[in-house]
Amino acid sequence: MSRASRSTWLLFVALAGMWGSSYLFIKIGVETITPLTLVAGRLFFGLVLLLAAVGIARERLPREARIYRHLIVMAVLNIVIPFFLITWAEQTTDSALAAILNATVPLFTIVFAASFLHDEPITLNRAVGLAVGFVGVVVIMSRNLVLDDGNIAGEIALIGSSISYGIGNVYNRRNVRGLRPMIPALFQVGFAFAIVTVLAFVFERPLETPITRDGLFAIIWLGILGSGFAYLAYFRILGEWGATRTSMVAYLLPIVGITLGVVVLDESVDVRVLAGTALVIGGVALVNSRFGGRHLIGRSTPAP
């Protein structure tokens, strides 16, 4: 494996850790902080980090107006909609259920990618790998996956966030290329912060929200890691791997949740967790393998 490939895999694992821990800290945050205010707070800290990174690196900013239009759309699809839906949903659903339902992102991504990206058709190995990985996620979370009719709105919101992420993955790949990772990360978070902050002042009272020590820690964690470093890693991986392979990070998020449960909450790991983990790893391997590359759905030649 080349040094570049190795570094991309390390970033992939780090991204899974940063986003996988987000569900836990969102759950902690929404105990005392309203959803839009929590999202705005995390985006503020993420934006501060990204501004510092871009300033230190002296990155050149895009000059084309169309790039900024695309970045605004990306901010809405990749941050504003899914962040709010997940945060709102976790008021009534637990973080484990949020992780399992967000693991459907690759399923939506592969369908959208096959429709709009000429170089990412649905192949046999991807279809089988996605199916195996999703089964693994279900096995891991089976003891917690209880659909409660009283929480159906939250569950629908979580599925909606996965659809938004799936569309956003493909939109990024199709419309924004050739930018260094820091630029789309900075403007995506920056535009999202502006939008969510306005919404928070319209629909909530952020200045009157009591911030506890746990709530503040959750906001800082979500901002620095989940909205800062995570997006730097995400755009780097997206450029190397493409939308479908990058979205496979969603399959690792429940594994991170299980690990945090064992370490932080002293939860036990049973056979289902071990079996599900093996299936998830197998699914990731299948999607990234060179075997079974026969096209099932999608364009195989570049669009004019």
Side-chain angles (χ1 to χ4, degrees):
M1 182 183 295
S2 68
R3 181 176 298 179
S5 297
R6 201 159 41 235
S7 65
T8 304
W9 274 106
L10 290 174
L11 280 176
F12 182 76
V13 174
L15 181 61
M18 289 184 284
W19 275 346
S21 64
S22 295
Y23 299 102
L24 171 65
F25 288 101
I26 289 173
K27 189 66 176 178
I28 293 172
V30 293
E31 291 181 358
T32 58
I33 305 171
T34 50
L36 288 171
T37 300
L38 177 59
V39 174
R42 68 178 289 187
L43 291 176
F44 169 77
F45 284 101
L47 180 59
V48 170
L49 171 67
L50 292 170
L51 283 171
V54 170
I56 292 172
R58 296 184 178 180
E59 294 281 353
R60 298 180 62 181
L61 302 182
R63 296 183 178 181
E64 300 87 353
R66 65 177 183 83
I67 294 295
Y68 291 99
R69 289 195 295 268
H70 288 313
L71 290 172
I72 291 173
V73 175
M74 287 164 52
V76 173
L77 291 174
N78 278 346
I79 296 183
V80 176
I81 293 175
F83 275 29
F84 170 72
L85 290 177
I86 294 170
T87 305
W88 180 82
E90 287 203 42
Q91 293 180 114
T92 56
T93 59
D94 58 35
S95 59
L97 184 56
I100 177 62
L101 292 181
N102 264 180
T104 59
V105 170
L107 300 179
F108 293 110
T109 299
I110 195 171
V111 174
F112 294 131
S115 301
F116 297 102
L117 300 178
H118 71 270
D119 57 346
E120 295 205 34
I122 297 179
T123 58
L124 181 61
N125 65 308
R126 285 183 173 181
V128 174
L130 289 168
V132 170
F134 185 70
V135 170
V137 170
V138 173
V139 171
I140 289 174
M141 306 304 299
S142 59
R143 59 182 177 179
N144 297 318
L145 187 60
V146 179
L147 298 181
D148 184 351
D149 290 340
N151 295 332
I152 190 64
E155 292 152 11
I156 293 174
L158 290 169
I159 291 295
S161 70
S162 295
I163 294 173
S164 188
Y165 275 134
I167 297 173
N169 283 336
V170 176
Y171 190 92
N172 291 351
R173 186 77 156 77
R174 180 179 174 87
N175 296 290
V176 181
R177 299 192 185 205
L179 296 179
R180 290 176 58 80
M182 289 185 187
I183 298 303
L186 170 65
F187 284 101
Q188 181 171 260
V189 171
F191 287 136
F193 171 69
I195 295 170
V196 173
T197 299
V198 171
L199 293 175
F201 276 98
V202 171
F203 296 104
E204 299 175 355
R205 297 180 178 179
L207 298 182
E208 299 178 14
T209 301
I211 306 295
T212 64
R213 184 178 60 181
D214 289 345
L216 180 61
F217 183 79
I219 288 176
I220 294 174
W221 180 283
L222 290 167
I224 299 299
L225 295 179
S227 303
F229 285 118
Y231 276 99
L232 291 175
Y234 167 77
F235 283 105
R236 170 72 179 275
I237 299 168
L238 186 68
E240 295 285 337
W241 282 4
T244 299
R245 289 179 67 187
T246 302
S247 71
M248 286 293 292
V249 71
Y251 280 149
L252 301 183
L253 304 188
I255 297 177
V256 176
I258 291 295
T259 303
L260 288 175
V262 172
V263 174
V264 179
L265 303 176
D266 196 27
E267 296 176 346
S268 61
V269 177
D270 57 21
V271 175
R272 284 177 295 184
V273 173
L274 297 177
T277 301
L279 287 169
V280 168
I281 295 173
V284 173
L286 281 170
V287 167
N288 290 284
S289 70
R290 296 182 179 180
F291 302 100
R294 180 167 60 87
H295 291 189
L296 300 179
I297 301 174
R299 293 178 287 178
S300 57
T301 58

